Short mmCIF file of all heavy atoms in Angstrom, two decimals:
data_model
loop_
_atom_site.label_atom_id
_atom_site.label_comp_id
_atom_site.label_asym_id
_atom_site.label_seq_id
_atom_site.Cartn_x
_atom_site.Cartn_y
_atom_site.Cartn_z
N CYS A 1423 19.34 23.61 8.37
CA CYS A 1423 19.70 22.30 8.94
C CYS A 1423 20.50 22.46 10.23
O CYS A 1423 20.29 21.73 11.20
CB CYS A 1423 20.51 21.48 7.93
SG CYS A 1423 19.46 20.74 6.69
N LEU A 1424 21.41 23.43 10.24
CA LEU A 1424 22.20 23.65 11.46
C LEU A 1424 21.31 24.00 12.65
O LEU A 1424 21.63 23.71 13.80
CB LEU A 1424 23.23 24.77 11.22
CG LEU A 1424 24.45 24.35 10.41
CD1 LEU A 1424 25.32 25.56 10.04
CD2 LEU A 1424 25.28 23.33 11.19
N ASP A 1425 20.20 24.60 12.34
CA ASP A 1425 19.22 24.97 13.35
C ASP A 1425 18.41 23.79 13.86
O ASP A 1425 17.83 23.85 14.95
CB ASP A 1425 18.22 25.92 12.66
CG ASP A 1425 18.11 27.22 13.38
OD1 ASP A 1425 19.04 27.54 14.13
OD2 ASP A 1425 17.08 27.90 13.17
N GLN A 1426 18.31 22.76 13.04
CA GLN A 1426 17.36 21.68 13.31
C GLN A 1426 18.01 20.37 13.77
O GLN A 1426 17.42 19.63 14.55
CB GLN A 1426 16.56 21.34 12.03
CG GLN A 1426 15.78 22.49 11.45
CD GLN A 1426 14.49 22.72 12.22
OE1 GLN A 1426 13.95 21.81 12.83
NE2 GLN A 1426 14.02 23.95 12.23
N ILE A 1427 19.18 20.05 13.19
CA ILE A 1427 19.75 18.71 13.45
C ILE A 1427 21.26 18.82 13.71
O ILE A 1427 21.87 19.87 13.45
CB ILE A 1427 19.54 17.76 12.24
CG1 ILE A 1427 19.91 18.44 10.91
CG2 ILE A 1427 18.14 17.20 12.19
CD1 ILE A 1427 19.84 17.54 9.70
N ALA A 1428 21.84 17.74 14.23
CA ALA A 1428 23.28 17.74 14.52
C ALA A 1428 24.07 18.07 13.26
O ALA A 1428 23.69 17.67 12.14
CB ALA A 1428 23.68 16.37 15.04
N ARG A 1429 25.18 18.77 13.45
CA ARG A 1429 26.00 19.27 12.35
C ARG A 1429 26.41 18.14 11.38
O ARG A 1429 26.34 18.29 10.17
CB ARG A 1429 27.23 19.94 12.97
CG ARG A 1429 28.29 20.44 12.04
CD ARG A 1429 29.30 21.28 12.83
NE ARG A 1429 28.81 22.64 13.02
CZ ARG A 1429 29.01 23.64 12.16
NH1 ARG A 1429 29.69 23.44 11.06
NH2 ARG A 1429 28.54 24.83 12.40
N PHE A 1430 26.79 16.97 11.96
CA PHE A 1430 27.32 15.89 11.09
C PHE A 1430 26.24 15.28 10.20
O PHE A 1430 26.53 14.61 9.23
CB PHE A 1430 28.03 14.80 11.91
CG PHE A 1430 27.09 13.94 12.73
CD1 PHE A 1430 26.57 12.76 12.21
CD2 PHE A 1430 26.72 14.31 14.02
CE1 PHE A 1430 25.70 11.97 12.95
CE2 PHE A 1430 25.86 13.52 14.77
CZ PHE A 1430 25.34 12.36 14.24
N LYS A 1431 24.96 15.55 10.53
CA LYS A 1431 23.89 14.94 9.73
C LYS A 1431 23.50 15.82 8.54
O LYS A 1431 22.75 15.38 7.66
CB LYS A 1431 22.64 14.74 10.60
CG LYS A 1431 22.82 13.74 11.71
CD LYS A 1431 21.52 13.63 12.48
CE LYS A 1431 21.71 12.78 13.72
NZ LYS A 1431 20.58 12.86 14.64
N ARG A 1432 23.96 17.07 8.55
CA ARG A 1432 23.44 17.95 7.50
C ARG A 1432 24.06 17.60 6.14
O ARG A 1432 25.21 17.14 6.08
CB ARG A 1432 23.65 19.42 7.86
CG ARG A 1432 25.06 19.91 7.69
CD ARG A 1432 25.19 21.27 8.35
NE ARG A 1432 26.25 22.06 7.74
CZ ARG A 1432 27.54 21.88 7.95
NH1 ARG A 1432 27.97 20.90 8.72
NH2 ARG A 1432 28.42 22.67 7.36
N PRO A 1433 23.31 17.78 5.06
CA PRO A 1433 23.84 17.42 3.75
C PRO A 1433 25.10 18.22 3.40
O PRO A 1433 25.20 19.40 3.72
CB PRO A 1433 22.69 17.78 2.80
CG PRO A 1433 21.47 17.73 3.64
CD PRO A 1433 21.90 18.20 5.00
N LYS A 1434 26.03 17.51 2.74
CA LYS A 1434 27.25 18.19 2.29
C LYS A 1434 27.04 18.73 0.88
O LYS A 1434 27.83 19.53 0.39
CB LYS A 1434 28.45 17.22 2.31
CG LYS A 1434 28.71 16.59 3.68
CD LYS A 1434 29.09 17.64 4.72
CE LYS A 1434 29.19 17.07 6.13
NZ LYS A 1434 27.95 16.54 6.71
N ALA A 1435 26.02 18.26 0.22
CA ALA A 1435 25.70 18.78 -1.12
C ALA A 1435 24.20 18.73 -1.33
O ALA A 1435 23.51 17.85 -0.80
CB ALA A 1435 26.40 17.93 -2.18
#
Side-chain angles (χ1 to χ4, degrees):
C1423 282
L1424 283 172
D1425 235 21
Q1426 302 281 334
I1427 47 175
R1429 176 170 278 272
F1430 71 92
K1431 295 180 187 168
R1432 76 192 207 284
K1434 303 296 173 296

